[in-house]
C-alpha cells in the first residue's frame, strides 16, 4: 500500500464531498507530477477513482433529497454521446503528451472563468426561464463536459456546477452539488471504461486512492453541514483559481 496515494485520496475526497468539484483538477496533476504516472494513465486512473469516490459522496446527498434527477437526465442526454465522441477522438490521437498540454491549457482557462462565475452574486429576480431553453443548455453543457472529462478527467464538477449555478440561481449549493455528483458518477464510469479499453488505468493506484477516500468522504460531509453557504462559495472559487494556476504552470 502506498501511503502517499492513500493520503492524497483522503484529501481530494474531502474536497469532493464538500464542494462537488476538485477531483480531476487536483488529482490528475498529483498523479502526473507527484506519482510519475504517464498523462493518459493518470487520466484513466483518476476517472476510476472519481467513480468510486463520487458514488460514496452521492449517497449522502441522495439520502438528504438533494438531487434533481430530471436535471441529471438531461445532462446525461448530452454527456453519453459526448463520451463516445471524445473516446473516438482520443483513440486516433497517439501523442498523449501533446494532448495533455493542449487540453490542460484549455481547461485551466475554463477553471479561471468558473472561479469568477462562482464569485458573481446570484440573480435575485428569479426570472422564469423557458423549460425548453433550460433543457437545451443542459444537453449542450453535458456534451461539452463529457468531452473534457474523457480527454483530461477534469471538469465534471467544475463546469457542471458552474452551469447549474447560473441556470438555477435560487437553489442552495447543497442541491447544486448533489445534482452535479449524480451526473458525474455515470459520466466518470463511462469515461473510465473507455480508458480501460485502451489500457490506460493503473488499478493498484486507484485502489490506494479509494482506500483514502472513505474517511475523506466522511470528513467532507461533516464540513458541509457546518460551513455557511457563502463561505463554501468563496472556498469553491479559491479552489478553482488554484487549480487553474496549477494547470497553467
Amino acid at each position: 500500500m502506498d501511503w502517499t496515494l492513500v493520503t492524497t485520496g483522503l484529501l481530494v475526497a474531502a474536497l469532493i464531498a464538500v464542494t462537488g468539484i476538485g477531483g480531476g483538477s487536483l488529482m490528475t496533476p498529483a498523479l502526473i507530477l507527484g506519482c510519475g504516472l504517464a498523462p493518459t494513465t493518470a487520466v484513466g486512473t483518476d476517472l476510476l477513482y472519481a467513480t468510486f469516490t463520487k458514488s460514496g459522496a452521492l449517497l449522502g446527498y441522495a439520502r438528504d433529497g438533494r438531487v434533481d434527477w430530471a436535471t441529471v437526465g438531461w445532462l446525461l442526454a448530452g454527456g453519453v454521446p459526448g463520451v463516445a465522441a471524445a473516446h473516438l477522438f482520443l483513440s486516433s490521437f497517439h501523442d498523449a503528451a501533446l494532448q495533455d498540454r493542449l487540453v490542460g491549457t484549455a481547461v485551466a482557462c475554463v477553471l479561471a472563468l468558473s472561479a469568477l462565475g462562482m464569485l458573481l452574486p446570484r440573480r435575485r429576480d428569479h426570472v422564469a426561464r423557458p423549460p425548453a431553453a433550460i433543457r437545451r443548455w443542459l444537453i449542450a453543457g453535458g456534451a461539452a463536459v463529457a468531452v473534457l472529462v474523457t480527454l483530461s478527467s477534469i471538469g465534471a464538477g467544475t463546469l457542471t456546477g458552474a452551469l447549474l449555478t447560473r441556470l438555477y440561481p435560487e437553489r442552495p449549493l447543497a442541491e447544486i452539488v448533489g445534482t452535479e455528483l449524480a451526473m458525474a458518477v455515470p459520466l466518470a464510469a463511462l469515461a473510465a471504461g473507455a480508458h480501460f479499453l485502451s489500457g490506460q488505468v493503473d488499478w493498484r493506484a486507484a485502489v490506494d486512492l479509494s482506500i483514502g477516500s472513505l474517511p475523506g468522504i466522511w470528513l467532507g460531509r461533516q464540513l458541509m453541514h457546518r460551513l455557511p453557504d457563502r463561505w463554501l462559495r468563496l472556498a469553491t472559487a479559491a479552489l478553482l483559481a488554484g487549480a487553474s494556476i496549477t494547470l497553467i504552470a
Side-chain angles (χ1 to χ4, degrees), residues 103-117 148 155 158-159 162 240 244:
V103 174
T105 300
V107 173
C109 295
V110 176
L111 289 175
L113 293 175
S114 299
L116 178 62
L148 285 176
T158 302
L159 302 181
L240 295 179
S244 176

Side-chain angles (χ1 to χ4, degrees), residues 60-87:
Y61 286 94
R63 184 177 59 247
D64 295 341
R66 295 291 192 175
V67 178
D68 183 341
W69 294 105
T71 297
V72 173
W74 288 112
L75 287 167
L76 290 177
V80 173
V83 169
H87 177 57

Side-chain angles (χ1 to χ4, degrees), residues 13-230:
L15 291 173
I16 291 174
V18 170
T19 67
I21 67 169
S25 301
L26 298 177
M27 185 62 73
T28 301
L31 292 176
I32 296 172
L33 301 176
C35 303
L37 295 184
T40 51
T41 302
V43 169
T45 302
D46 177 51
L47 286 167
L48 181 62
Y49 161 78
T51 300
F52 293 133
T53 305
K54 293 197 172 191
S55 295
L58 172 61
L59 291 177
Y61 286 94
R63 184 177 59 247
D64 295 341
R66 295 291 192 175
V67 178
D68 183 341
W69 294 105
T71 297
V72 173
W74 288 112
L75 287 167
L76 290 177
V80 173
V83 169
H87 177 57
L88 291 175
F89 171 75
L90 191 62
S91 298
S92 64
F93 193 78
H94 302 293
D95 190 342
L98 177 59
Q99 169 202 310
D100 281 304
R101 286 199 299 271
L102 294 175
V103 174
T105 300
V107 173
C109 295
V110 176
L111 289 175
L113 293 175
S114 299
L116 178 62
M118 292 296 295
L119 292 175
L120 294 176
R122 289 187 175 189
R123 294 167 60 102
R124 297 300 181 183
D125 49 7
H126 302 317
V127 175
R129 298 175 176 84
I134 291 180
R135 287 195 294 268
R136 285 194 292 269
W137 274 104
L138 292 174
I139 293 172
V145 168
V147 169
L148 285 176
V149 168
T150 305
L151 295 179
S152 68
S153 80
I154 299 171
T158 302
L159 302 181
T160 305
L163 174 64
L164 294 177
T165 298
R166 305 316 294 176
L167 289 178
Y168 303 108
E170 74 284 355
R171 294 187 180 181
L173 183 59
E175 185 172 337
I176 295 293
V177 172
T179 302
E180 172 271 308
L181 286 169
M183 182 266 196
V185 169
L187 196 67
L190 288 172
H195 281 273
F196 172 74
L197 293 176
S198 300
Q200 298 168 348
V201 174
D202 186 329
W203 288 90
R204 181 176 298 178
V207 169
D208 287 343
L209 292 170
S210 298
I211 291 174
S213 73
L214 297 177
I217 291 171
W218 177 86
L219 176 62
R221 289 288 295 170
Q222 302 309 305
L223 294 174
M224 181 70 188
H225 291 299
R226 288 171 169 77
L227 297 176
D229 186 87
R230 177 172 178 271

